[in-house]
Amino acid sequence: MTDTPLLKVSGVSKFYGSRIGCKDVSFELWPGEVLAIVGESGSGKTTLLNCLSTRLMPTTGSVEYRMRDGNFRDLYHMSEAERRFLMRTDWGFVHQNPADGLRMTVSAGANVGERLMAVGDRHYGNIRATANDWLTRVEIGTDRIDDQPRAFSGGMRQRLQIARNLVTSPRLVFMDEPTGGLDVSVQARLLDLVRGLVNDLGLSAIVVTHDLAVARLLSHRMMVMKDGHVIEHGLTDRVLDDPREPYTQLLVSSILQV
Amino acid sequence: MTDLATYNFAYLDEQTKRMIRRAILKAIAIPGYQVPFASREMPMPYGWGTGGVQVTASIIGPEDVLKVIDQGADDTTNAVSIRAFFQKVANVAVTTHTKDATIIQTRHRIPEQKLTEGQVLVYQVPIPEPLRFLEPRETETRKMHALEEYGLMHVKLYEDIAHNGRISKTYAYPVKVAGRYVMDPSPTPKFDNPKMHMSEALQLFGAGREKRIYAVPPYTEVVSLDFEDYPFEIQKFEQPCALCGAQGVYLDEVVLDDKGGRMFVCSDTDHCEDRREHGHAGELLAQNKEAAE
Amino acid sequence: MATPLVVSEVFKSFTMHLRDGIKLPVVNDVSFSVASGECVVLGGPSGIGKSSILKMLYGNYAVDAGQILVSHKDRLVDIASADPRTIIDVRRHTLGYVSQFLRTVPRVAALDVVAEPLVARGIQAPEAKEKASDLLARLNLPRELWSLPPATFSGGEQQRVNIARGFITSHSILLLDEPTASLDAVNRRVVVDMIAEKKREGVALLGIFHDEEVREAVADRILDVTRFSPRKAAA
Ligand SMILES: Nc1ncnc2c1ncn2[C@@H]1O[C@H](COP(=O)(O)OP(=O)(O)OP(=O)(O)O)[C@@H](O)[C@H]1O
Ligand SMILES: [Mg+2]
Ligand SMILES: [Zn+2]
């Protein structure tokens, strides 16, 4: 167990006018830990995720991130250049809709290679070899390397998006409903893949999902959100098997078995 | 009544020229950075080099000697009309000789003759934004320049190699200026890119429709983007110029007849003529001479 | 003798918010300990709270009050109040649990399911798989099943995968919830032998065994959970 968290979140709130997006969220995320944020639609999951990933500025609160040099930096006080650099090197962001996270008009290989090129990789052969390697890891045939994601199925696109994010070995990955629009069988494959990659790479991840089975399978810990508030927070199997809050009990009871 | 009486010197009013000069100074101070400016209507349609014309009009003085080329030639309609325009509105001396010109306005070429200190090369630019092909949002491309996020440029080159086995881009080949801004050198052939590097002349770029001015000051590093294993290369021509025998210059293909006859000649007409005047002869000229004798 | 597990004054109830918030007391004032090399068996009728106790010890159920002290890496951890990260670490290194049913993960082969707890502790995959193979062979799981995900296995086959997974590590405390329930006589005996080995290795075992024969064979002590029943207390 490492003794320093990767992310320290304190008192993060986001208001949309007088409406609450999320309210007073605090937690720490440790290296190798996967946190699931669950709740029904409109409960503030995505707002919180966007605040944590600095895609959105919260109204109040702070998020500190431990940089590769070991120093904590307050994300909201970083320059935009630093934040964007962090986002394309040390972080990943997997969108629910792959089209939001991919360049649909460039090849799969270039989609995977973009981050490498962005950090200064200038050897075409190496970039391509790495892209091939990653396509294999996410179970996309290397014969598809020059095809555009437009020609891919939803599941393939989502796997490509994951490869594109993981190629720079990020330490923290944000995922917003990663299995959202996919068929059940495709979901299972993707989940299994993500689970394997997270384990192998020792990634930390924050996964927003309304699907408790996804939370069960991927996460160590979960937070249940309702009306912008975190109402229950704990070890994933504890929250799912012994839910304490009325709303969590409702969530758990309204699905068959997870 | 003289023509001059109806126009301010060099057509633009002083106010406008001052505004454009300020943009030019800013562009020189930040090599490769696209400076927005309030582009004016010119008495010619966009696409005819209104950006370059406004830049030239703002820097030209009565003592200047102007040369105008289009694809390397001094005698195309475009070059002739721009030259005539400045003769009319600024009454300046004009030339076709690269070495005699103080200002050279160009569309799509850099002269073969090495430019020297004190000369200014003014490029006519249709689309100044090198990132547009991959990122159409202007707000985003500006941010990418500001934050020096140029990975996308290499994505474009990567795609080229992936689909063609090599970087097939032959003109408007992107460059990095002074180690900072990535710049579109306008649709010049990549053959001319090395001439931009450490050029003794000042290079100014004007995009009229897009309202942008950018610059490469003299003695500035201009590096063509590439990959380590796919290094930047300029076009090579198998044979020398058919007229003057020049090698290592940019050649145009000229179709001679409808039986597939063709020849390759200097795209820089002044360079070609100058060589011929100095006794150089290409294959075609030699043949003609023989035939005449 | 070392006592790696000490439970004191633990209370547990469920509040059923969806049913008018009725409160369902499960166990009151649970106190006991398990020593190294000892196998304690929880006894009592169905529904008395045996599984709930194991789940609390594992951190799977929350605790209303009391302490669950576990010797973990030269210190004491109170499972009742530990944060999730600590519980995960305790589960990884100290506290093993064989549930009654295997929770299958799609697409992961039986052999990898078994090897995973070792891999999670940083042991190289080939070594972990070798150990997993030994255990599966010992539990007579047909070799042709090893490379298949256990989702389609029979109850007894799944249970053997589950047992192998629970026994593969050298955790110092092992919780067993009816591990032999769906096994045949031959495999039940294998499990009895495996438990005896764990005892010799100094592991503290706490289990639920409905099968009288198995219970007789493994139990050093039977703890009747009826003692902790709130109904009894009220009576
Ligand atoms: N997650 C839960 N939510 C609500 N009530 C529960 C939960 N888990 C167990 N209970 C209740 O707690 C009581 C004890 O159950 P438990 O499963 O611990 O019994 P047990 O002694 O293991 O029984 P068996 O011998 O049948 O397995 C039962 O009344 C059960 O219904
Ligand atoms: Mg039970
Ligand atoms: Zn020539």
Side-chain angles (χ1 to χ4, degrees), chain B residues 103-141:
Chain B
I103 298 173
I104 303 168
Q105 179 167 330
T106 178
R107 174 173 172 269
H108 300 189
R109 270 315 307 278
I110 300 175
E112 302 293 357
Q113 164 115 36
K114 187 169 171 290
L115 299 181
T116 55
E117 263 181 44
Q119 289 186 303
V120 183
L121 186 60
V122 178
Y123 296 76
Q124 301 170 200
V125 180
I127 298 169
E129 181 47 71
L131 295 162
R132 181 162 309 162
F133 165 82
L134 291 148
E135 180 51 74
R137 289 169 300 179
E138 164 95 19
T139 48
E140 189 63 19
T141 54

Side-chain angles (χ1 to χ4, degrees), chain B residues 206-253:
Chain B
R209 188 180 33 216
E210 302 259 345
K211 305 180 171 59
R212 292 288 184 277
I213 286 172
Y214 50 104
V216 176
Y219 303 105
T220 300
E221 272 192 9
V222 178
V223 179
S224 302
L225 303 183
D226 64 0
F227 287 101
E228 286 159 21
D229 46 345
Y230 286 84
F232 172 78
E233 277 172 354
I234 58 170
Q235 294 100 325
K236 290 200 176 60
F237 298 90
E238 314 263 294
Q239 62 270 77
C241 170
L243 298 177
C244 75
Q247 285 177 314
V249 297
Y250 194 77
L251 302 179
D252 284 336
E253 186 178 347

Side-chain angles (χ1 to χ4, degrees), chain B residues 103-277:
Chain B
I103 298 173
I104 303 168
Q105 179 167 330
T106 178
R107 174 173 172 269
H108 300 189
R109 270 315 307 278
I110 300 175
E112 302 293 357
Q113 164 115 36
K114 187 169 171 290
L115 299 181
T116 55
E117 263 181 44
Q119 289 186 303
V120 183
L121 186 60
V122 178
Y123 296 76
Q124 301 170 200
V125 180
I127 298 169
E129 181 47 71
L131 295 162
R132 181 162 309 162
F133 165 82
L134 291 148
E135 180 51 74
R137 289 169 300 179
E138 164 95 19
T139 48
E140 189 63 19
T141 54
R142 264 202 243 181
K143 194 167 280 175
M144 289 158 85
H145 282 295
L147 303 179
E148 221 176 328
E149 291 181 4
Y150 291 129
L152 260 192
M153 286 315 310
H154 275 86
V155 167
K156 195 172 170 187
L157 299 179
Y158 170 99
E159 287 291 85
D160 219 3
I161 302 172
H163 296 297
N164 304 307
R166 65 196 164 80
I167 300 177
S168 57
K169 191 161 184 53
T170 51
Y171 62 92
Y173 191 105
V175 293
K176 194 167 211 179
V177 180
R180 176 59 181 83
Y181 284 96
V182 165
M183 183 186 96
D184 187 324
S186 87
T188 50
K190 66 178 178 180
F191 180 90
D192 287 338
N193 275 18
K195 295 176 189 159
M196 307 178 76
H197 179 63
M198 300 307 277
S199 167
E200 290 177 25
L202 167 65
Q203 303 173 73
L204 300 176
F205 300 78
R209 188 180 33 216
E210 302 259 345
K211 305 180 171 59
R212 292 288 184 277
I213 286 172
Y214 50 104
V216 176
Y219 303 105
T220 300
E221 272 192 9
V222 178
V223 179
S224 302
L225 303 183
D226 64 0
F227 287 101
E228 286 159 21
D229 46 345
Y230 286 84
F232 172 78
E233 277 172 354
I234 58 170
Q235 294 100 325
K236 290 200 176 60
F237 298 90
E238 314 263 294
Q239 62 270 77
C241 170
L243 298 177
C244 75
Q247 285 177 314
V249 297
Y250 194 77
L251 302 179
D252 284 336
E253 186 178 347
V254 179
V255 176
L256 292 175
D257 49 43
D258 51 12
K259 294 189 277 303
R262 57 201 190 123
M263 65 172 181
F264 286 89
V265 299
C266 290
S267 124
D268 184 338
T269 51
D270 167 58
H271 184 71
C272 199
E273 277 159 25
D274 189 57
R275 279 177 57 84
R276 276 179 273 146
E277 270 164 32

Side-chain angles (χ1 to χ4, degrees), chain A residues 28-169:
Chain A
E28 289 180 343
L29 186 77
W30 299 77
E33 207 175 27
V34 179
L35 170 72
I37 303 175
V38 306
E40 64 193 0
S41 72
S43 59
K45 304 184 297 283
T46 300
T47 297
L48 177 58
L49 191 76
N50 285 339
C51 286
L52 299 177
S53 59
T54 73
R55 296 158 56 80
L56 204 62
M57 281 295 148
T59 315
T60 57
S62 78
V63 177
E64 286 182 277
Y65 180 70
R66 182 157 54 79
M67 308 294 281
R68 290 196 191 220
D69 65 7
N71 294 322
F72 277 96
R73 295 288 307 277
D74 185 336
L75 294 177
Y76 305 134
H77 288 103
M78 276 182 163
S79 71
E80 187 175 18
E82 287 175 301
R83 266 202 310 268
R84 284 172 66 120
F85 184 75
L86 198 63
M87 281 193 200
R88 60 172 195 264
T89 55
D90 217 20
W91 289 3
F93 197 106
V94 176
H95 298 260
Q96 174 169 8
N97 179 1
D100 294 338
L102 291 172
R103 289 193 191 280
M104 298 303 279
T105 55
V106 305
S107 68
N111 264 286
V112 178
E114 180 175 343
R115 276 175 162 235
L116 296 174
M117 294 182 247
V119 296
D121 206 324
R122 292 289 175 268
H123 192 284
Y124 175 84
N126 293 349
I127 292 164
R128 201 163 167 86
T130 308
N132 262 322
D133 178 44
W134 269 100
L135 290 180
T136 309
R137 290 176 83 159
V138 299
E139 302 171 13
I140 294 174
T142 51
D143 57 331
R144 306 301 300 272
I145 189 169
D146 294 327
D147 294 348
Q148 293 182 1
R150 283 195 290 207
F152 288 3
S153 69
M156 280 172 81
R157 287 180 188 182
Q158 199 54 300
R159 282 180 273 132
L160 180 63
Q161 194 191 177
I162 288 165
R164 171 178 161 88
N165 273 281
L166 297 188
V167 68
T168 48
S169 311

Side-chain angles (χ1 to χ4, degrees), chain A residues 9-14 22-27 58-63:
Chain A
V9 179
S10 31
V12 168
S13 301
K14 174 74 187 177
C22 63
K23 180 83 195 292
D24 201 18
V25 178
S26 303
F27 68 91
T59 315
T60 57
S62 78
V63 177

